[in-house]
Amino acid sequence: MAIALLCATGVIAGCAGPPELNPVRVTAPDGRGAIRPLPEPTGCTVTATDAQTLDAAMSSAVPGQRICILGTIGNKRLILSASGTAEQPIAVVGDGRTIVRGITVEGNYITIDGINSVSGWAPGIELTGDNITLRNSTSISPRGDDNDGLRFFGNNIQIVHNTIRDVLNLNLAHADCMQTFATGPGNPASQNVRISDNRCEQIDNQCLIAEGPNSSAGDGSGEGESTHFVFANNYCDTHAGQAVLFDDIQHATIIDNDIVSVQDKAFAFQNQSTHGVVAGNKLNPGIGYEVGMDDSSLPGYQGPPPGGKP
């Protein structure tokens, strides 16, 4: 069942042969995307293989545990509401074939590695807390709410080598590959975020939309600041007015990304998104201009001259 579902959703490429011969890959030759295959997890302190053991493992998680999730748990969302420590983080690991129906993390010092969120309630993956790493994982065909692939909130968040696919504007949704915003105590402003080496494929809206606590949409909390983002070496197959939008985000760096689809502009800075850096990106030749920017975001900017409005 796991192989069939992974084939059907595109997590495994080349599904014509016997399952044991199929390459489990959602990464491109340039290294973007979730790295496959992954070795069988070792050093597990807890192992979950079905909905009951998954719930038990998540509810009893404590610092220092390495929780291994194996097999298809396709009817259950992985929900972790616990924290590790700097000395004893919590690791939740799969083997690259592991399937759950969504991932929610609310805690600190946590790593999620090698887990596939398939057909989960959107956002397919949601991360809230400090010192969280998401890697080698996927969010495929999230549905419901705004149909977003991934949302994140917090400080020192690493989103590296993941694949997000089939994020659609169904039922008036505004579906983005990745998003953060600040609307209250449960959704804090985000700082020190690295998003690198990911693939966003078949995305109806943006690769990344990041809104600070004073966003122009008027739905921010007004508390704190969202700052120091790095968006590097990502692949963006997106279909909005731009691939990346920063709104009230300071010190954002956009480097070495591949924006493959036609849109008005590649990157937008607005509402005092100052001290931005843009360099080394590869753009579809049909993109109108690389950077759109308003006057409030010009201070400290380094990169190609803005070509128009954000």
Side-chain angles (χ1 to χ4, degrees):
M1 182 178 179
I3 291 295
L5 185 53
L6 287 167
C7 287
T9 54
V11 175
I12 296 180
C15 287
E20 64 273 17
L21 299 181
N22 289 323
V24 186
R25 295 194 182 278
V26 283
T27 188
D30 60 9
R32 297 181 176 109
I35 296 173
R36 299 288 191 268
L38 293 177
E40 189 78 15
T42 59
C44 308
T45 56
V46 178
T47 300
T49 57
D50 56 28
Q52 183 176 359
T53 54
L54 176 63
D55 277 348
M58 295 300 101
S59 63
S60 62
V62 296
Q65 282 192 320
R66 181 173 171 84
I67 303 170
C68 298
I69 313 295
L70 302 175
T72 299
I73 313 177
N75 62 342
K76 194 69 178 178
R77 191 174 184 94
L78 187 162
I79 301 176
L80 177 59
S81 299
S83 292
T85 67
E87 296 77 20
Q88 291 188 302
I90 296 173
V92 180
V93 299
D95 61 359
R97 297 174 181 259
T98 303
I99 298 176
V100 296
R101 197 164 187 178
I103 298 170
T104 298
V105 172
E106 296 178 352
N108 306 319
Y109 294 102
I110 294 166
T111 294
I112 305 292
D113 191 348
I115 309 288
N116 298 298
S117 165
V118 178
S119 300
W121 181 263
I125 301 174
E126 185 162 20
L127 312 173
T128 305
D130 298 339
N131 301 289
I132 299 175
T133 296
L134 175 75
R135 65 183 176 225
N136 295 331
S137 295
T138 71
S139 178
I140 309 295
S141 304
R143 296 293 184 260
D145 190 38
D146 238 11
N147 287 351
D148 292 328
L150 166 67
R151 288 183 184 173
F152 60 90
F153 310 92
N155 185 22
N156 193 23
I157 294 178
Q158 308 287 320
I159 299 167
V160 295
H161 283 296
N162 303 288
T163 297
I164 300 173
R165 181 186 300 129
D166 189 35
V167 174
L168 306 179
N169 288 341
L170 303 175
N171 300 318
L172 303 179
H174 187 278
D176 299 297
C177 183
M178 294 177 270
Q179 183 179 33
T180 189
F181 48 89
T183 58
N187 297 333
S190 296
Q191 302 175 343
N192 303 307
V193 176
R194 181 173 186 86
I195 300 171
S196 66
D197 304 288
N198 303 287
R199 292 184 69 83
C200 290
E201 304 173 342
Q202 303 167 26
I203 310 295
D204 273 357
N205 276 303
Q206 295 158 114
C207 206
L208 170 66
I209 176 170
E211 298 172 301
N214 299 292
S215 73
S216 57
D219 57 358
S221 65
E223 299 178 359
E225 60 178 354
S226 293
T227 184
H228 290 94
F229 281 55
V230 174
F231 188 81
N233 198 41
N234 300 289
Y235 174 96
C236 295
D237 169 23
T238 54
H239 302 88
Q242 60 278 319
V244 177
L245 170 62
F246 287 117
D247 182 338
D248 186 34
I249 307 290
Q250 293 77 50
H251 297 278
T253 298
I254 303 175
I255 55 173
D256 299 331
N257 300 284
D258 191 359
I259 313 301
V260 301
S261 46
V262 175
Q263 42 216 305
D264 297 338
K265 54 195 170 293
F267 314 116
F269 295 78
Q270 67 183 31
N271 187 23
Q272 301 189 51
S273 292
T274 59
H275 298 88
V277 175
V278 177
N281 298 286
K282 179 182 178 183
L283 309 183
N284 183 299
I287 292 175
Y289 48 93
E290 184 165 3
V291 177
M293 183 174 288
D294 64 12
D295 290 344
S296 73
S297 301
L298 283 169
Y301 170 68
Q302 301 177 53
K309 295 180 179 181

